[in-house]
Amino acid sequence: CHICTADAMRHSAGHEWEERLNEELAAAGVAFWTENQLRSRGYHKTPDARLQASCVPIAVQGRIVNWIDSKATFGDDKLHRQQTVEQYERYVNRFGPGLVIYWHGYIADLNKV
């Protein structure tokens, strides 16, 4: 099944980029919980990384970041709006402001969406 193969490849790529995020955060000395650790604590919908409260808050371009979600895709308007409704709004409500990394780039006006 071509759709099943494509879904499996997409899932695998997503997992690889989540691991890269975890490695980058650990190398930078940032204390965080992984998605799996959060789920084991009873959270259903979770970002890929949740910065720990013991960690000094980080800011990216002047904005506080409490969580990071990793996307192994290109960020376009349609995808970003869909993910905002399905995921990001829940993360903001639960954990405060965060950051989404589109590893394969994004459109320049995406922050205005």
Side-chain angles (χ1 to χ4, degrees):
C1 154
H2 294 295
I3 294 174
C4 299
T5 302
D7 285 343
M9 290 174 62
R10 200 170 18 252
H11 178 75
S12 177
H15 184 70
E16 288 176 29
W17 287 100
E18 286 173 31
E19 287 300 316
R20 178 171 176 191
L21 171 64
N22 293 344
E23 290 168 6
E24 297 276 345
L25 289 171
V30 176
F32 67 99
W33 291 291
T34 66
E35 180 177 20
N36 290 336
Q37 290 170 324
L38 290 170
R39 288 196 177 167
S40 73
R41 292 172 169 229
Y43 292 100
H44 176 64
K45 286 281 191 181
T46 67
D48 295 322
R50 165 69 166 106
L51 304 186
Q52 294 183 9
S54 63
C55 177
V56 174
I58 65 169
V60 176
Q61 296 181 350
R63 295 180 182 192
I64 296 294
V65 174
N66 294 308
W67 55 267
I68 302 172
D69 205 50
S70 171
K71 297 296 180 193
T73 58
F74 179 85
D76 63 18
D77 285 339
K78 181 180 177 185
L79 174 68
H80 190 69
R81 285 176 200 204
Q82 176 185 349
Q83 295 297 316
T84 295
V85 171
E86 293 176 4
Q87 294 180 310
Y88 311 148
E89 288 176 352
R90 293 177 183 162
Y91 303 162
V92 170
N93 289 337
R94 224 173 248 139
F95 305 115
L99 170 73
V100 178
I101 298 174
Y102 289 105
W103 291 101
H104 300 290
Y106 59 91
I107 60 168
D109 290 341
L110 195 59
N111 287 332
K112 297 177 185 175
V113 174

